[in-house]
Amino acid sequence: MSWSQPLRGVVPPVCTPLDAAGEVDTASLTRLVEHLVDGGVHGLFALGSSSEVAFLTDHQRTVALETVVDAVNGRVPVLAGAIDMTTPRVEEHARDALAVGADALVATAPFYARTHPVEIARHFRILRERVDLPLFAYDVPVSVHSKLSASLVRELAEDGTIIGLKDSSGDEGSLRRLVVELGGRHGRADGPAPNFSILTGSELTVDAVLLAGVDGVVPGLGNVDPAGYVRLYDAVRGGDLDIAVKEQERLVELFGLVDAGPESEMGRNSSAIGAFKHALRLLGVFSHGVTADPQIQLGADSVAFVEQHLRAAGLLPVR
Amino acid sequence: MSWSQPLRGVVPPVCTPLDAAGEVDTASLTRLVEHLVDGGVHGLFALGSSSEVAFLTDHQRTVALETVVDAVNGRVPVLAGAIDMTTPRVEEHARDALAVGADALVATAPFYARTHPVEIARHFRILRERVDLPLFAYDVPVSVHSKLSASLVRELAEDGTIIGLKDSSGDEGSLRRLVVELGGRHGRADGPAPNFSILTGSELTVDAVLLAGVDGVVPGLGNVDPAGYVRLYDAVRGGDLDIAVKEQERLVELFGLVDAGPESEMGRNSSAIGAFKHALRLLGVFSHGVTADPQIQLGADSVAFVEQHLRAAGLLPVR
Amino acid sequence: MSWSQPLRGVVPPVCTPLDAAGEVDTASLTRLVEHLVDGGVHGLFALGSSSEVAFLTDHQRTVALETVVDAVNGRVPVLAGAIDMTTPRVEEHARDALAVGADALVATAPFYARTHPVEIARHFRILRERVDLPLFAYDVPVSVHSKLSASLVRELAEDGTIIGLKDSSGDEGSLRRLVVELGGRHGRADGPAPNFSILTGSELTVDAVLLAGVDGVVPGLGNVDPAGYVRLYDAVRGGDLDIAVKEQERLVELFGLVDAGPESEMGRNSSAIGAFKHALRLLGVFSHGVTADPQIQLGADSVAFVEQHLRAAGLLPVR
Amino acid sequence: MSWSQPLRGVVPPVCTPLDAAGEVDTASLTRLVEHLVDGGVHGLFALGSSSEVAFLTDHQRTVALETVVDAVNGRVPVLAGAIDMTTPRVEEHARDALAVGADALVATAPFYARTHPVEIARHFRILRERVDLPLFAYDVPVSVHSKLSASLVRELAEDGTIIGLKDSSGDEGSLRRLVVELGGRHGRADGPAPNFSILTGSELTVDAVLLAGVDGVVPGLGNVDPAGYVRLYDAVRGGDLDIAVKEQERLVELFGLVDAGPESEMGRNSSAIGAFKHALRLLGVFSHGVTADPQIQLGADSVAFVEQHLRAAGLLPVR
């Protein structure tokens, strides 16, 4: 994989299908990779939050990543999450990802232990130094409970520690400042970090963030409707913003399926991931809609709610 | 003021100039109103966070609001913040605003005391019932430490309790869901709350939020460069998004003036408000750049930093 | 009132009874003062969080404070909360409290607007300088969303800005460090701030904090059972810790009445304050159990739950 | 190891010494175990937060735990942290701990992924069911960003899922309610979970929490001065609270060593753990004071600060 150009486009975080015993369902995962590549996506992000990486054992992580890498077979780049608490543990996952053939790593700031911004910078620099794979910083305060500052990201971009940012902070104002500091929408290639790639976890404001100069998006919902996100991406890049807004609004309505699970009985995460997985099952991609322990499984009413959203979005025939 | 149409456009939160003794400088405030109306803004929001409402005594609030209402003289609508901890205290400010001639009220959820969503809904309903002025809900978790849920806003919009939302939550994904639930960018007039007005506090993503279907923006930086925000607004409404992005990028760079104050010595709020006030002084609108107690005042280096941003943005001649 | 000695003992935050119209019920409030002074308390804290200060208009605050000061008639000191967002607004409440005859002020860090520690220190210094009443700092992060650092408290104690701390942070480790830094349990009078008074909002660990060297407690539940807290205080001071623990455990069980309201329908604050007020009504002290808008009122089942706790604690005869 | 009696006493979280290459220094760790057992401690907690468990690879965790278990050789029980994001990953650590010979497991709520209280309960039940070791719940919101509710702990205690709680929430009021609900200081053995053991992470309020009825303490500072904590524990159990308070105050002053590192350059965690490790080096127990990556190391001034605290506390001769 050459990284002479920054990564741009739709890069879904790949859901990890499980079988009834809770093990990685490699046949379903292979089908998902085809579903995504057929949909026209520009890259894949394996072992991210939407992949339930926090719930997979080390062995399961390796199986999942191997399956994705093999199924992709070089057609698009595969980014691999190396998600753990601190540098020594992340480094081990990073070595595994290198061995399996990932094209780049994605790592968060340390979590569980409280660290200082100077230590967070050191964390990324050590990882880059010790493992020979391009590195994306993953800003995900909802999980790690600290935010990467724009100045830290810019510093790591300019000295070549990271080749990109995966921003899931939801702070679009700060992100816009970063884009402008790096040269703005049209001047990025002449800016201080010309090959730097800015991706967001946005599912609901893709038209807007692309307009602002972000390079790509990593939408969890892109597992369910990759072609929709690719159409949306192409519409923005082609300058047809009316079509982009309409496609985005359709996807916003589809996104409503994440509310499938009853709030009084299960977590928001379980509800959203469970909904994506059952949607993929209803679309014939997955064999099961199972999420990992200790998550609560969606019940029949919740699954019907998911199905109704798929029909309304035109992904299943209306009965 | 007629509210038969939802409020749309640029609605700056009006800074409150103070004199050396810390009292409201009504002459400067009158000049600011002219500066804003001349800049083409579509409304004014007095007594909001950028107005230092939290620092003004009741008497100062009344003086400031009266000055704004008199200076505007009906040319654009004046929204008035009624900012206090709970319903009985907010109600008193609301009555004052009604007496002074504001066109609408803006109120947050209760703060200081912890309340339940059911109590927050009750808060807005009691205010609307007791004070005869149209009401905007102000979602500002950074100040009140709770977020108005989309379902609560939608419920209050549909039953007519509120005619609009001033969203300063920074959660653009949730806001997009609300826009779509209310009919989407083009279908709002046929949606469940056709006259409902969605405003955001966005300064840095105005092009993006307007593209998404938001009605208007309340940028603190609009005090400094109202004409810039109006050009940006007009460019989006006219469909010329390339010009909009360029104007937005210029304003993002100008926004850098909020970093004027040294982080180790003063708050982010004092730095930003102080920078706006000194910018207005340098532009000849304000007589002083003073902020209210207990805020630290910007020093000479900080003021030079502000001046440099004004020159770079073309608001002062480059020396 | 002489402050030659630091305030020590049980200093309940005085609940504010309201009538059916939501106005201060001065007759009930006068009875409450008698109930507390009869119970042996060592001071009163009016206009604090448990007084619903956040819900009272300025006029209601003055009525409540006047009623307390008049009813106490100098028998114990009266501390008055001056609770508002920033220095200029707090200063106005402080002047009102001085005019009405309070013996000391209690003020929090600024809230709603974000401030820097340097600005927080300035806030207390300006208040002390401008209003001629002894000042307690009120550390209540759950309401103001910032914590007073031990170093700031110590600095303000040593330079005489504040004569005491009312700690409601719940951080008993930090509080213990402060006690030790000021000289420890036995050496406080020889320490760097010999007349400084440390009070906590503790209701559930009074035995423990007094053992550690704290001077006094400000228990909301002390409205309901002042004599119980005085017995507990006396037992610790007398060195009879077995009796102290038993009394504390009885009060912990009584404290269970704060869970009266259903969590799905009302806030924790409304439930707790409503429970205290209904308990006082059942004890014949208050005429009503009403809490201020927008709080939800306790229903019949909740009131029965309160009554059952009073009986179990021996405050009402067991039926 | 028999658990017929609840664990009571001083149970330090065992620091993990590292060598210059960052590997577990087993010789130093063996000396630390002797230092602790010689100090009279009643149990050891390996692989907890103070052990830098978040920074150790799986292999390093196993080496550290084996070293502790071997060195202890059954003299006191060894609790082992099984710290990871979710059930499947925690289960793997738990099996490792069982294989190595730990006497009990300590597990937190899930982190990184957001979960629901129902899922948290399920997490503990699955762990207990799948791994045949007694289980302690570890309540550490500062690391996992959710708090175990008292009702959840009580439910898991009463149905036998957990045999104890390690409370590092700092919420001593809630903890007191739990103690009382389980029977109070003297009635625990007749309460609903008679063999349940309540431990706290308290270092600064050990006298107070023991007075309140907590069974034991897990003080990080206990690595440095185990005999001091044992004297404190014995004094409370023997009813000599004056001696207990004096000992606690000495330990509070010693605790000041955690401020060794400059806040502007390193995290609070690195400073505290680095200080403990350098203190152990100065006491001749450890060969190095190194902390794991990406933590910043203490400089010479910081080490001198640590040394000064050891002398002041009587742990090194005063020069």
Side-chain angles (χ1 to χ4, degrees):
Chain A
M1 192 66 222
S2 152
W3 288 99
S4 56
Q5 298 292 320
L7 180 61
R8 310 188 81 199
V10 177
V11 186
V14 185
C15 281
T16 309
L18 302 176
D19 62 23
E23 294 304 323
V24 178
D25 171 358
T26 57
S28 289
L29 183 49
T30 299
R31 284 195 299 270
L32 175 58
V33 170
E34 288 312 306
H35 174 65
L36 297 173
V37 174
D38 283 357
V41 304
H42 307 85
L44 295 179
F45 174 27
L47 304 183
S49 304
S50 298
S51 316
E52 293 173 277
V53 67
F55 299 88
L56 301 178
T57 64
D58 287 0
H59 176 68
Q60 290 174 326
R61 290 183 183 198
T62 300
V63 169
L65 183 58
E66 259 176 352
T67 304
V68 170
V69 169
D70 289 354
V72 166
N73 197 20
R75 289 175 288 174
V76 294
V78 176
L79 283 59
I83 307 300
D84 216 314
M85 294 170 240
T86 62
T87 322
R89 296 183 63 83
V90 174
E91 185 186 335
E92 292 212 325
H93 298 295
R95 290 189 190 288
D96 290 346
L98 177 63
V100 168
D103 297 299
L105 294 172
V106 184
T108 70
F111 52 92
Y112 189 89
R114 284 167 295 167
T115 46
H116 188 274
V118 172
E119 294 168 329
I120 295 173
R122 213 175 154 249
H123 170 72
F124 288 110
R125 291 206 170 96
I126 294 174
L127 290 173
R128 184 64 194 90
E129 198 178 292
R130 295 207 189 139
V131 184
D132 189 24
L133 267 181
L135 180 62
F136 284 76
Y138 187 4
D139 191 21
V140 60
V142 73
S143 291
V144 307
H145 301 277
S146 71
K147 166 117 187 63
L148 300 178
S149 72
S151 63
L152 174 61
V153 171
R154 191 176 160 169
E155 183 188 316
L156 296 174
E158 290 182 23
D159 74 6
T161 301
I162 56 176
I163 61 158
L165 170 70
K166 199 270 179 165
D167 182 281
S168 294
S169 72
D171 184 348
E172 296 187 9
S174 288
L175 192 65
R176 188 62 172 271
R177 287 192 79 179
L178 180 68
V179 169
V180 172
E181 284 171 14
L182 294 178
R185 187 169 65 142
H186 293 295
R188 295 274 305 285
D190 307 316
N195 285 322
F196 192 72
S197 182
I198 302 177
L199 312 177
T200 84
S202 174
E203 281 153 319
L204 303 172
T205 60
V206 171
D207 47 0
V209 297
L210 292 175
L211 176 73
V214 157
D215 298 292
V217 294
V218 188
L221 186 63
N223 283 278
V224 178
D225 192 3
Y229 277 100
V230 171
R231 278 194 302 272
L232 165 49
Y233 180 79
D234 289 343
V236 180
R237 290 291 177 238
D240 198 338
L241 282 159
D242 273 335
I243 287 187
V245 171
K246 265 178 217 149
E247 190 67 41
Q248 179 67 81
E249 293 191 346
R250 189 186 62 84
L251 289 163
V252 169
E253 289 185 336
L254 176 61
F255 184 79
L257 54 74
V258 303
D259 296 331
E263 270 186 60
S264 56
E265 292 170 31
M266 64 193 298
R268 295 294 301 157
N269 196 65
S270 319
S271 174
I273 302 295
F276 292 162
K277 290 183 142 184
H278 275 285
L280 286 164
R281 187 182 57 74
L282 292 163
L283 294 172
V285 179
F286 277 13
S287 299
H288 304 272
V290 176
T291 55
D293 284 330
Q295 296 172 93
I296 304 292
Q297 305 301 315
L298 292 183
D301 285 356
S302 301
V303 172
F305 180 89
V306 170
E307 186 172 345
Q308 175 191 331
H309 279 78
L310 294 177
R311 292 192 196 285
L315 298 178
L316 281 180
V318 180
R319 282 193 287 205
Chain B
M1 192 67 220
S2 152
W3 288 99
S4 55
Q5 297 293 321
L7 180 60
R8 310 188 81 199
V10 178
V11 185
V14 184
C15 281
T16 308
L18 302 176
D19 62 25
E23 293 305 322
V24 179
D25 172 358
T26 56
S28 289
L29 184 49
T30 299
R31 284 195 299 272
L32 175 57
V33 169
E34 287 313 305
H35 175 65
L36 297 172
V37 174
D38 283 357
V41 304
H42 307 86
L44 295 177
F45 173 29
L47 304 183
S49 304
S50 297
S51 315
E52 293 173 275
V53 67
F55 299 87
L56 302 177
T57 64
D58 287 359
H59 176 68
Q60 290 174 326
R61 290 183 182 197
T62 299
V63 170
L65 183 58
E66 259 176 353
T67 304
V68 171
V69 168
D70 289 355
V72 166
N73 197 21
R75 289 176 288 175
V76 295
V78 176
L79 283 58
I83 307 300
D84 217 312
M85 294 170 241
T86 61
T87 322
R89 295 184 64 83
V90 174
E91 183 185 337
E92 293 212 326
H93 298 296
R95 291 189 190 290
D96 290 346
L98 177 65
V100 168
D103 296 300
L105 294 172
V106 184
T108 70
F111 52 93
Y112 188 88
R114 285 168 295 169
T115 46
H116 188 275
V118 171
E119 294 169 329
I120 295 174
R122 212 175 154 247
H123 170 71
F124 287 110
R125 291 208 169 96
I126 293 173
L127 290 173
R128 184 64 194 89
E129 194 180 294
R130 294 205 190 141
V131 184
D132 189 23
L133 268 180
L135 179 62
F136 284 75
Y138 188 4
D139 190 22
V140 60
V142 73
S143 292
V144 307
H145 300 276
S146 70
K147 165 118 186 64
L148 300 179
S149 71
S151 62
L152 176 60
V153 171
R154 191 176 160 170
E155 182 188 316
L156 295 173
E158 290 182 22
D159 74 7
T161 299
I162 56 177
I163 63 158
L165 170 70
K166 199 272 181 166
D167 181 282
S168 293
S169 71
D171 184 347
E172 296 186 10
S174 288
L175 192 66
R176 188 62 172 271
R177 286 192 79 177
L178 181 67
V179 169
V180 172
E181 283 173 14
L182 294 177
R185 187 168 65 141
H186 293 295
R188 295 275 305 286
D190 308 316
N195 285 323
F196 192 73
S197 182
I198 301 176
L199 312 177
T200 86
S202 174
E203 283 153 317
L204 303 172
T205 59
V206 170
D207 48 0
V209 297
L210 292 175
L211 176 73
V214 156
D215 297 291
V217 293
V218 188
L221 186 63
N223 283 278
V224 178
D225 192 3
Y229 277 100
V230 170
R231 279 195 302 274
L232 166 49
Y233 180 79
D234 289 343
V236 179
R237 290 290 177 241
D240 197 339
L241 283 160
D242 274 335
I243 287 187
V245 170
K246 265 178 218 149
E247 191 65 43
Q248 177 67 80
E249 293 190 346
R250 190 186 60 84
L251 290 163
V252 169
E253 289 185 336
L254 176 60
F255 184 79
L257 55 75
V258 303
D259 297 330
E263 270 186 60
S264 55
E265 292 172 31
M266 64 193 299
R268 296 292 303 155
N269 196 63
S270 318
S271 174
I273 303 293
F276 293 161
K277 289 182 143 187
H278 274 285
L280 287 164
R281 187 182 59 73
L282 291 163
L283 293 172
V285 179
F286 277 12
S287 300
H288 305 271
V290 177
T291 56
D293 284 330
Q295 295 171 97
I296 305 292
Q297 303 301 315
L298 291 184
D301 285 356
S302 300
V303 171
F305 181 88
V306 170
E307 186 172 346
Q308 175 191 331
H309 278 79
L310 294 176
R311 293 194 195 284
L315 297 179
L316 282 178
V318 180
R319 283 192 285 205
Chain C
M1 192 67 220
S2 153
W3 288 99
S4 55
Q5 297 293 319
L7 180 61
R8 308 189 83 199
V10 178
V11 186
V14 185
C15 281
T16 309
L18 302 176
D19 62 23
E23 294 304 323
V24 178
D25 172 358
T26 57
S28 289
L29 184 49
T30 299
R31 285 195 298 270
L32 175 57
V33 170
E34 287 313 305
H35 175 65
L36 297 172
V37 174
D38 283 358
V41 303
H42 308 86
L44 295 178
F45 173 29
L47 304 183
S49 303
S50 298
S51 315
E52 292 173 278
V53 66
F55 298 88
L56 300 178
T57 64
D58 287 0
H59 176 67
Q60 290 173 326
R61 289 183 182 196
T62 300
V63 169
L65 182 58
E66 261 178 352
T67 304
V68 170
V69 168
D70 288 356
V72 165
N73 199 18
R75 290 176 286 174
V76 295
V78 176
L79 284 58
I83 307 301
D84 217 312
M85 296 171 239
T86 61
T87 324
R89 296 184 63 83
V90 174
E91 184 186 335
E92 292 212 327
H93 298 297
R95 290 190 190 289
D96 290 347
L98 177 64
V100 168
D103 296 299
L105 294 172
V106 183
T108 71
F111 51 94
Y112 188 88
R114 285 166 295 167
T115 46
H116 188 275
V118 172
E119 294 169 331
I120 295 174
R122 213 174 153 248
H123 170 73
F124 287 110
R125 291 206 170 96
I126 294 174
L127 289 174
R128 185 62 195 92
E129 196 180 293
R130 295 207 190 137
V131 184
D132 189 24
L133 268 180
L135 180 62
F136 284 76
Y138 186 5
D139 191 20
V140 60
V142 73
S143 291
V144 308
H145 300 276
S146 70
K147 166 117 186 66
L148 300 178
S149 71
S151 63
L152 175 62
V153 170
R154 191 176 161 170
E155 182 188 316
L156 296 173
E158 290 182 23
D159 74 7
T161 300
I162 56 176
I163 61 159
L165 170 69
K166 197 269 178 166
D167 182 281
S168 294
S169 72
D171 184 347
E172 296 185 10
S174 287
L175 193 66
R176 187 62 173 271
R177 287 192 79 177
L178 181 68
V179 168
V180 172
E181 283 172 14
L182 295 177
R185 187 168 66 142
H186 292 295
R188 292 275 306 286
D190 307 316
N195 284 323
F196 192 72
S197 182
I198 301 177
L199 312 177
T200 86
S202 174
E203 282 153 318
L204 303 173
T205 59
V206 170
D207 47 1
V209 297
L210 292 174
L211 175 74
V214 157
D215 299 290
V217 293
V218 187
L221 186 64
N223 283 277
V224 177
D225 192 3
Y229 277 100
V230 171
R231 280 195 301 273
L232 166 49
Y233 180 80
D234 289 343
V236 179
R237 291 289 176 241
D240 198 337
L241 282 159
D242 274 336
I243 287 188
V245 170
K246 264 179 220 150
E247 190 66 41
Q248 178 66 80
E249 293 191 345
R250 190 186 60 84
L251 289 164
V252 168
E253 289 185 338
L254 176 59
F255 184 78
L257 55 74
V258 303
D259 297 329
E263 270 187 59
S264 57
E265 291 171 30
M266 63 194 299
R268 296 293 302 156
N269 195 64
S270 318
S271 174
I273 303 295
F276 293 161
K277 289 183 142 185
H278 275 286
L280 286 163
R281 186 182 58 74
L282 291 163
L283 293 172
V285 179
F286 277 12
S287 300
H288 305 271
V290 176
T291 55
D293 285 327
Q295 294 171 98
I296 305 291
Q297 304 301 315
L298 291 183
D301 285 356
S302 301
V303 172
F305 181 90
V306 171
E307 186 172 345
Q308 174 190 332
H309 278 79
L310 294 177
R311 292 194 196 285
L315 298 179
L316 281 179
V318 180
R319 281 194 285 204
Chain D
M1 193 67 221
S2 152
W3 287 99
S4 56
Q5 296 293 320
L7 180 61
R8 310 188 80 198
V10 177
V11 186
V14 185
C15 281
T16 309
L18 302 176
D19 62 24
E23 294 305 322
V24 178
D25 172 357
T26 56
S28 290
L29 184 50
T30 299
R31 285 195 297 271
L32 175 57
V33 169
E34 287 314 305
H35 175 65
L36 297 173
V37 174
D38 282 357
V41 306
H42 307 86
L44 296 178
F45 173 29
L47 303 184
S49 303
S50 297
S51 316
E52 294 174 275
V53 67
F55 299 88
L56 302 178
T57 64
D58 287 359
H59 176 68
Q60 290 173 326
R61 291 184 182 195
T62 299
V63 169
L65 182 58
E66 261 176 351
T67 304
V68 170
V69 168
D70 288 354
V72 166
N73 197 18
R75 289 176 286 173
V76 295
V78 177
L79 283 57
I83 307 300
D84 217 312
M85 296 170 237
T86 61
T87 322
R89 295 184 64 84
V90 174
E91 184 186 335
E92 293 212 325
H93 298 296
R95 289 190 191 288
D96 290 347
L98 176 64
V100 168
D103 296 299
L105 295 172
V106 183
T108 70
F111 53 94
Y112 189 88
R114 287 167 292 167
T115 46
H116 188 275
V118 171
E119 294 170 329
I120 296 173
R122 215 177 151 245
H123 170 73
F124 287 109
R125 292 207 169 96
I126 294 173
L127 290 173
R128 184 65 194 88
E129 195 179 293
R130 295 207 190 140
V131 184
D132 189 24
L133 269 179
L135 180 63
F136 284 75
Y138 187 3
D139 191 22
V140 60
V142 74
S143 291
V144 308
H145 301 277
S146 70
K147 166 120 186 60
L148 299 179
S149 71
S151 62
L152 174 62
V153 171
R154 190 175 162 171
E155 182 188 316
L156 295 173
E158 290 181 23
D159 73 8
T161 300
I162 57 177
I163 63 158
L165 170 69
K166 198 268 179 169
D167 181 282
S168 293
S169 71
D171 185 348
E172 296 186 10
S174 288
L175 193 66
R176 188 62 173 270
R177 287 192 79 179
L178 181 68
V179 169
V180 172
E181 283 172 14
L182 294 177
R185 187 167 66 141
H186 292 294
R188 294 276 304 286
D190 308 316
N195 284 323
F196 192 73
S197 181
I198 301 178
L199 312 177
T200 87
S202 175
E203 281 152 318
L204 303 172
T205 59
V206 170
D207 47 0
V209 298
L210 291 174
L211 175 74
V214 157
D215 298 289
V217 294
V218 187
L221 186 63
N223 282 278
V224 178
D225 193 2
Y229 278 100
V230 171
R231 280 195 300 273
L232 166 48
Y233 179 80
D234 289 343
V236 179
R237 291 289 177 241
D240 198 338
L241 282 159
D242 274 334
I243 288 188
V245 170
K246 264 177 217 149
E247 190 66 42
Q248 178 67 77
E249 292 191 346
R250 189 185 61 84
L251 289 164
V252 168
E253 289 184 338
L254 176 60
F255 185 80
L257 55 76
V258 303
D259 297 329
E263 268 186 61
S264 56
E265 292 170 31
M266 64 194 299
R268 297 292 302 156
N269 195 65
S270 318
S271 174
I273 302 294
F276 293 161
K277 288 182 144 186
H278 275 285
L280 287 164
R281 187 182 58 74
L282 292 163
L283 294 173
V285 180
F286 277 12
S287 301
H288 306 272
V290 177
T291 55
D293 284 328
Q295 295 171 96
I296 305 292
Q297 303 301 316
L298 291 183
D301 285 356
S302 301
V303 172
F305 180 89
V306 170
E307 186 173 345
Q308 175 190 330
H309 278 78
L310 293 177
R311 292 194 197 285
L315 299 179
L316 282 179
V318 179
R319 282 192 287 205

